[in-house]
Amino acid sequence: MKKILSVMTFISAISGLICAPSFAEDVSGLYINDMEIRYDISDDGRIQIPMRDLFETAGFTVQWFEDESRATAFNDDISITMIDGSNDIYVNKIEYTMQSPQGLENGEFMIDTETALTALDAEMEYRDGAVFIYSELAENTDSWQYEVFDMLNEIRRENGLDEFIWNADLEPVARAHGEDMVNRSYFSHDDPEGNTPFDRMRMNGIEYSFAAENLAAGQPSPESVVKAWMESDGHRENILSPDLKECAVAFVRGGKYGIYWINEFLTY
C-alpha cells in the first residue's frame, strides 16, 4: 500500500530589537555563540559576513526575493529584512540605519558586524585574534530533526498509539530528497524524473509493506513544522496512522523557501 500527502509552505514574521556598534579588525576567526562562520575583510577593513551563513548558523531561515533584491531571515518570533545596496535594515518592521550599505558581492548577500549585532541584538568580543558574537536569539539546530521525531512520538502517545521507531536507513533518503529539491529548485514528492518516495526507498534498498512521506517548506522551527503538519488532514493522518511503525526526519536549508522538511514513514 502506498500513500503520498499534500505539501505545504509557510512564511512567518513577528517582535523587535536594538542596535550595536560596528567593528573592523584583521581577525583569525569569527564565531556566533561559539559556532564558526565564514567571513571576509573588505578593502576598507570591515568584517564582511555572508548573511545566509550567519543567520542559518544562528537557527534562522533565510529567503532571497530576487524580484525585490531583498533578503529576509526569520524564525518563529523575529523577521529581519535587508535590501541590496541599502543602509537600512528592518527588524520586525522597525527600521535601523547602518553606517554602511549591505548587499550582493560575487553572488552572496554580505553584511558587516554592525548589521549582525543590530539584527541579533548581540554583543561582540575580540579575543585571542578572533571575533565572538553572542546573542540569546541564536540557536544551535543540530538536534532539530530529533526534536521533531520526539514531538511526533508525544502526539502518538497522547492518541494511544505506539511510538515510532527511528529508522536510520530512511534518514539519508529523506535528506537526499531535500538536497535535491534545493539544488534543482522544485518542491514535490516526485523528482523531475518522476521518481516517487517509494521509488527512492527501493533504489536505496529499503523494502516496505506500507510507506508514506510528509513534506513541508518554510517552517522555521521544529514546533512550527509539527504544528503545520497536524493542522493538515493528510499529514496528520500519516502521523497518527497505526499502520506506520518507523520513520525518520531531515531538514535541508536553502532554495526558494529557505528550509525544507522531509518525514519518511514505513512498515516492513
Side-chain angles (χ1 to χ4, degrees):
M1 184 186 300
K2 301 178 181 179
K3 189 170 189 187
I4 300 182
L5 299 186
S6 59
V7 295
M8 59 180 65
T9 62
F10 175 80
I11 300 176
S12 71
I14 345 182
S15 165
L17 297 178
I18 59 173
C19 66
S22 61
F23 185 89
E25 179 86 41
D26 290 334
V27 298
S28 59
L30 181 66
Y31 300 83
I32 173 73
N33 287 13
D34 298 321
M35 296 177 285
E36 189 170 11
I37 52 178
R38 291 190 299 129
Y39 70 95
D40 197 2
I41 303 295
S42 67
D43 292 340
D44 60 359
R46 291 181 299 125
I47 298 173
Q48 294 288 90
I49 310 167
M51 180 213 179
R52 181 176 290 275
D53 283 21
L54 173 71
F55 286 104
E56 287 185 348
T57 301
F60 286 70
T61 293
V62 177
Q63 296 181 342
W64 168 248
F65 299 88
E66 188 168 3
D67 56 338
E68 302 174 22
S69 298
R70 171 170 62 90
T72 297
F74 62 94
N75 61 20
D76 283 339
D77 301 310
I78 301 161
S79 176
I80 301 160
T81 296
M82 304 171 189
I83 299 170
D84 183 26
S86 173
N87 290 55
D88 298 327
I89 71 169
Y90 301 84
V91 181
N92 291 343
K93 298 184 179 180
I94 299 173
E95 181 177 347
Y96 299 96
T97 299
M98 303 295 101
Q99 295 181 31
S100 303
Q102 319 305 308
L104 289 171
E105 293 183 18
N106 300 317
E108 287 191 297
F109 198 99
M110 305 295 286
I111 65 174
D112 60 17
T113 50
E114 179 192 19
T115 302
L117 296 175
T118 301
L120 291 172
D121 192 17
E123 296 181 354
M124 188 168 63
E125 190 177 318
Y126 182 62
R127 187 172 74 248
D128 298 326
V131 171
F132 294 84
I133 296 173
Y134 293 105
S135 171
E136 292 184 0
L137 303 178
E139 181 180 358
N140 190 319
T141 65
D142 290 347
S143 65
W144 272 13
Q145 67 195 103
Y146 305 110
E147 290 178 33
V148 171
F149 177 70
D150 289 342
M151 290 177 198
L152 298 182
N153 275 337
E154 182 178 354
I155 292 167
R156 298 270 290 188
R157 289 193 299 272
E158 290 172 352
N159 286 271
L161 297 168
D162 292 338
E163 295 183 10
F164 286 124
I165 298 169
W166 180 269
N167 187 312
D169 293 330
L170 278 178
E171 192 273 342
V173 177
R175 185 171 304 282
H177 185 51
E179 291 171 348
D180 192 47
M181 288 191 289
V182 167
N183 293 335
R184 297 204 282 172
S185 302
Y186 71 95
F187 180 50
S188 172
H189 292 288
D190 296 354
D191 68 22
E193 289 72 43
N195 294 309
T196 69
F198 318 110
D199 295 325
R200 292 190 290 273
M201 290 180 193
R202 285 192 294 266
M203 286 188 290
N204 283 274
I206 299 173
E207 299 296 332
Y208 57 86
S209 62
F210 182 45
E213 176 178 83
N214 281 356
L215 296 182
Q219 291 80 3
S221 69
E223 293 82 5
S224 60
V225 72
V226 171
K227 182 175 184 290
W229 278 335
M230 290 302 292
E231 291 176 349
S232 165
D233 290 342
H235 297 81
R236 177 186 175 91
E237 184 179 343
N238 271 355
I239 292 168
L240 295 179
S241 172
D243 297 319
L244 292 166
K245 306 296 185 183
E246 303 187 14
C247 79
V249 181
F251 70 94
V252 177
R253 294 192 181 279
K256 179 179 179 180
Y257 299 109
I259 188 168
Y260 294 72
W261 298 91
I262 309 91
N263 190 184
E264 308 287 6
F265 308 87
L266 62 68
T267 295
Y268 286 111

